[in-house]
Amino acid sequence: MRRARDREQNKLARFVLTEMLGNWDIATAERRPMCADTGLPRYYVRAGNEAQVEGGFVALERALRRATAEATAAIPLRPNRVHPLTRADHDNNVGIHAPEITYAFEPGGDFIDLTTVHKGGLFGSDYRMLFPADGIGGLKRFFLDTLIEHGRRGLSCQPAIVGVGIGGSKDTCVRLGKEAACLRMVGTRNPDPAIAALEDELTALGNHVGIGAMGFAGTSLVVATHVEVAATHTGGMPVGIHQFCLSSPRATARIHPDGRVEYRADPGWFTDYYRRETIE
């Protein structure tokens, strides 16, 4: 964010970025959310294969639901979750399929990593079924279409971390795009050199469309682009795109069997095992 501010030439966009950084510092010092919209709380649970949970994973899920309700009242978090039809609000961010909990597992290890992500649920996300003939050019066009559509109205609270999921089925690419945006550290690269090069190119493209912070003219639309892929059907190339806002509300804790809790900056979600290509 500071690098984006320092290189921004548009006076108004630079002013907005400076105010964002000030907001960030105040929120950190006062241990408060930096935005009134605290998103939709969700959890990513990564368990070592030897991990044991007292009461099982049902007990874990109940604890996470209680924690969500308690945090909504204590921090406070904005109670964003409502019934989609009746708009009924329990005032605690808990409801049907809420908060979402996603699981991954690692061979060996007796730890449990809990990552909470509070991502906005309305803007900055899109899906498109591309085809092999569309190629990388079609992917770039969809990427820019999505950034421009949301960026020109400031709907993704730019500059944003953009996650791109490519392949799998529709639900897989959308899931991977969200994980890429929310769970990778800014500055990391996909281990595949071709994909890493694509990440850099997409970031450069995003910052060349003339849109800056919060939709003002400028060159600070994208903080970083993270691309993740999955094997897909031979006839298609589904793509899901997610934008994670500049406040990046995320935290990770590793729980050890003896009760120790280690707080981590890196969720460590995208391991070699998680990206494995072989049968084993």
Side-chain angles (χ1 to χ4, degrees):
M1 285 290 292
R2 291 186 176 91
R3 285 196 297 269
R5 189 270 313 275
D6 292 344
R7 68 172 176 256
E8 180 59 68
Q9 297 299 308
N10 181 279
K11 184 177 179 179
L12 182 55
R14 185 182 176 91
F15 169 79
V16 171
L17 287 168
T18 300
E19 292 302 303
M20 287 176 174
L21 287 168
N23 182 21
W24 209 329
D25 291 338
I26 292 170
T28 301
E30 297 187 0
R31 296 181 61 81
R32 292 281 185 177
M34 67 176 289
C35 179
D37 184 353
T38 50
L40 300 178
R42 65 178 301 130
Y43 298 92
Y44 293 90
V45 178
R46 191 168 69 99
N49 194 48
E50 310 306 320
Q52 297 184 20
V53 180
E54 183 177 349
F57 281 89
V58 168
L60 174 62
E61 293 197 352
R62 286 174 175 165
L64 292 176
R65 291 171 77 88
R66 283 195 302 271
T68 302
E70 290 170 4
T72 300
I75 291 178
L77 303 176
R78 193 169 77 179
N80 282 331
R81 296 278 192 176
V82 300
H83 190 285
L85 300 179
T86 67
R87 315 311 287 180
D89 186 349
H90 299 303
D91 249 7
N92 59 10
N93 280 309
V94 176
I96 302 171
H97 298 297
E100 297 92 341
I101 303 173
T102 302
Y103 293 93
F105 301 93
E106 283 291 307
D110 52 8
F111 61 86
I112 291 180
D113 285 346
L114 295 179
T115 298
T116 181
V117 173
H118 296 241
K119 183 184 183 301
L122 297 179
F123 305 113
S125 303
D126 206 351
Y127 161 82
R128 186 173 294 178
M129 174 55 79
L130 299 178
F131 296 95
D134 293 316
I136 299 298
L139 170 65
K140 292 176 182 177
R141 177 170 181 169
F142 175 43
F143 180 81
L144 290 177
D145 285 348
T146 302
L147 293 187
I148 292 169
E149 178 61 28
H150 296 101
R152 63 190 175 88
R153 292 178 284 167
L155 292 178
S156 301
C157 297
Q158 302 87 5
I161 303 167
V162 185
V164 182
I166 306 171
S169 54
K170 178 177 182 178
D171 57 327
T172 303
C173 74
V174 170
R175 172 180 60 80
L176 279 177
K178 178 171 283 188
E179 292 176 2
C182 299
L183 297 178
R184 276 180 49 185
M185 298 288 285
V186 170
T188 60
R189 293 291 181 270
N190 190 290
D192 183 323
I195 296 176
L198 177 62
E199 292 175 333
D200 291 338
E201 186 173 359
L202 291 175
T203 297
L205 283 172
N207 288 328
H208 251 79
V209 298
I211 302 174
M214 299 303 291
F216 294 106
T219 57
S220 306
L221 192 60
V222 180
V223 173
T225 305
H226 300 153
V227 177
E228 295 293 331
V229 301
T232 191
H233 190 283
T234 184
M237 189 173 72
V239 180
I241 294 178
H242 288 270
Q243 297 176 59
F244 195 25
C245 76
L246 61 102
S247 59
S248 307
R250 178 188 72 206
T252 298
R254 171 166 289 189
I255 303 174
H256 296 276
D258 61 4
R260 288 181 298 115
V261 180
E262 172 191 355
Y263 295 99
R264 303 154 56 91
D266 187 350
W269 186 256
F270 287 99
T271 64
D272 292 341
Y273 182 74
Y274 193 68
R275 290 184 174 123
R276 66 195 184 280
E277 294 187 61
T278 62
I279 293 173
E280 296 297 325

